[in-house]
Amino acid sequence: MPSFQTVRGMRDLLAEEAEVLNFVMSKARETAKLYGYREVITPVVEPYELLSAKAGEEIRSRMFTFKDLGNRTVALRPEFTASIARLATGALKNEPKPLRTLAVGSVYRYDEPQRGRYREFYQSDYEIVGVSNPEADAEIILLTDRLMRAVGLRNYAFKVGHIGVIRGILSQENVDEKTQNAILQLMDKREFEKAFQLVKSVACLSTLRGLLTLKSDNAFDTVGRLRKHVEGYPNASASVEDLQKILKIVTEHQCPIATVEPTFSRGLEYYTGMIFEVYIPELDIALGGGGRYDRLIEAFGGEPTPATGVAHGLDRIVMAMRMQKTTPTTQNKKRVAVIPAKEEVKGEALRISQMLREAGVSVELEVMGRKMNKALEDADRRRIDFAVIVGERELEQGSVVLRDLAKREQAVVTISNLAKRINPEY
Ligand code: HAM
């Protein structure tokens, strides 16, 4: 047999990596609780139609699509938003609004594997459905800010834009929706010249080109210049006011805004309003991104329902934590090895292990039948904190030997006091 490897772009996460990822997931869940988002678990496999309908060409062309044995065309989810929109038109249709959901898990995109870009990766996705107010968009940015802080990241900052400004200009200049989508996809890749080539009207072209010159160091200055620039385009102007309101809320809460970019666009096609991404200076790829999508639920056959949301790239957050040397604050749990000194006391060693586990102590029982010195060596190598040596003589007194492997000290301890001796908090 050949020796098997993971499929290209797929990774095994070994214990330490899995621990950090789980830590980030736990922070994502804590953040959701603090903001009233309730977790839902949706399938990894969804109808191709659902996932592809409004995702945009960029994601559509990178989906893992296949026929199942029933000849249905299905795909691995490349994101969660489509699944949540499906729920909003079905099982959660009659839930009181706003509906706030969290989804955490793996998503799949046939991206070219490189640093921070995988074909299977993990997201925490928050959606708030049923509100068009800027407060909802601000909440999505603020909870992202909270998650960044909760995992210990520093110096992160948000890049913000508004799809309504660009669409407002293009619609008023009679650019059809298909061409608008193509323009936005090219803008997402920063291929502005190619994007502009799709625009026929000279007036429209100069307004779009002008957007490139508005960026400044101060978010509100950019918004002011943008406001002037789109005078005469009522929908674009309304979008600028919306953006201003969102920025006002988030900056009042010390949320770090790096830039407002009038030409900022994102790969997904469903966005209609504010969009954003979050970065740290050490990495030029986004740790998370999101925005408003007011027409997706309607496109899936639901009532017209405004919505906004974000997904965080958990693998990239882990990477960012490594770069900033932010070690997760794992619980200070002691690890204990219970080692029977003889075959005859194996049963007793298991009983003591179970008793410690009931008290919340993490116990690894010696099950290999190794001699005492080998078992202790092994515990040392695996950085176990304490060894509990179960010997016949001590057992007769209701005791065991507790050995502190780091300090290389040991004492005879009564079994009933054992958990407290290992950690006084137990
Ligand atoms: P997205 O920007 O496509 O948005 O993905 C969100 C985050 O997932 C990115 O910022 C990045 O951190 C991470 N990510 C994307 N591709 C990869 C990859 N190949 N490898 C590792 N990480 C990756 C969405 O998915 C939208 N559903 C967000 C949203 C929710 N918009 C509204 N609601």
Side-chain angles (χ1 to χ4, degrees), residues 113-272:
Q114 50 190 280
R115 209 169 74 114
R117 195 172 289 281
Y118 316 104
R119 291 184 176 169
E120 178 184 56
F121 58 99
Y122 296 84
Q123 285 188 340
S124 59
D125 174 282
Y126 304 70
E127 310 288 354
I128 173 163
V129 175
V131 212
S132 57
N133 293 336
E135 285 81 356
D137 302 281
E139 179 171 300
I140 290 292
I141 296 179
L142 287 172
L143 72 76
T144 299
D145 174 67
R146 165 87 206 181
L147 178 61
M148 297 295 123
R149 274 185 289 126
V151 298
L153 289 177
R154 299 177 303 273
N155 304 329
Y156 57 85
F158 292 85
K159 174 167 117 180
V160 187
H162 202 298
I163 289 293
V165 175
I166 308 169
R167 285 208 191 266
I169 298 168
L170 293 173
S171 299
Q172 199 169 321
E173 297 285 357
N174 299 318
V175 177
D176 63 77
E177 197 168 325
K178 210 166 144 221
T179 314
Q180 287 187 21
N181 293 342
I183 292 171
L184 287 167
Q185 292 271 332
L186 287 166
M187 283 184 156
D188 173 44
K189 294 192 208 137
R190 310 192 77 75
E191 295 181 13
F192 296 112
E193 280 314 312
K194 269 196 193 158
F196 295 155
Q197 276 166 21
L198 300 178
V199 179
K200 302 281 180 304
S201 135
V202 181
C204 180
L205 198 57
S206 92
T207 312
L208 285 182
R209 269 192 204 288
L211 291 177
L212 281 170
T213 64
L214 302 175
K215 207 173 113 180
S216 75
D217 289 343
N218 180 294
F220 289 99
D221 280 355
T222 311
V223 173
R225 295 164 75 177
L226 182 58
R227 180 181 290 118
K228 279 216 184 73
H229 188 76
V230 299
E231 262 170 19
Y233 291 96
N235 288 341
S237 294
S239 294
V240 176
E241 295 322 310
D242 182 51
L243 181 59
Q244 159 94 20
K245 285 180 192 149
I246 297 165
L247 288 169
K248 184 163 180 294
I249 303 172
V250 299
T251 50
E252 269 169 13
H253 294 275
Q254 286 74 47
C255 198
I257 304 299
T259 50
V260 168
E261 274 191 30
T263 50
F264 175 28
S265 172
R266 288 184 21 86
L268 291 147
E269 208 165 272
Y270 48 62
Y271 292 116
T272 56

Side-chain angles (χ1 to χ4, degrees), residues 14 79 94 152 156 219 224 227 242 274 330 333 358 382 425:
L14 303 185
E79 54 141 5
N94 298 321
Y156 57 85
R227 180 181 290 118
D242 182 51
M274 182 280 296
T330 44
K333 279 219 161 156
E358 288 300 321
R382 286 189 292 126
E425 284 167 25

Side-chain angles (χ1 to χ4, degrees), residues 11-24:
R11 297 155 301 151
D12 295 312
L13 299 179
L14 303 185
E16 269 156 42
E17 290 162 291
E19 233 164 61
V20 186
L21 181 67
N22 279 328
F23 166 80
V24 177

Side-chain angles (χ1 to χ4, degrees), residues 35 67 154 161 297 311 348 398 411 415 424:
Y35 282 81
K67 288 230 185 232
R154 299 177 303 273
I297 293 167
E348 200 55 28
I415 294 170

Side-chain angles (χ1 to χ4, degrees), residues 11 59 78-82 107-112 114 116-123 125-128 140 266-268 270-271 276-278 285-293 307-317:
R11 297 155 301 151
I59 297 238
E79 54 141 5
F80 287 104
T81 310
V107 293
Y108 302 83
R109 294 182 195 175
Y110 205 80
D111 278 334
E112 195 46 37
Q114 50 190 280
R117 195 172 289 281
Y118 316 104
R119 291 184 176 169
E120 178 184 56
F121 58 99
Y122 296 84
Q123 285 188 340
D125 174 282
Y126 304 70
E127 310 288 354
I128 173 163
I140 290 292
R266 288 184 21 86
L268 291 147
Y270 48 62
Y271 292 116
F276 73 98
E277 283 173 353
V278 62
I285 45 179
L287 305 186
R292 174 165 288 283
Y293 52 99
T308 181
V310 61
H312 308 115
L314 303 186
D315 314 75
R316 292 188 186 174
I317 291 179

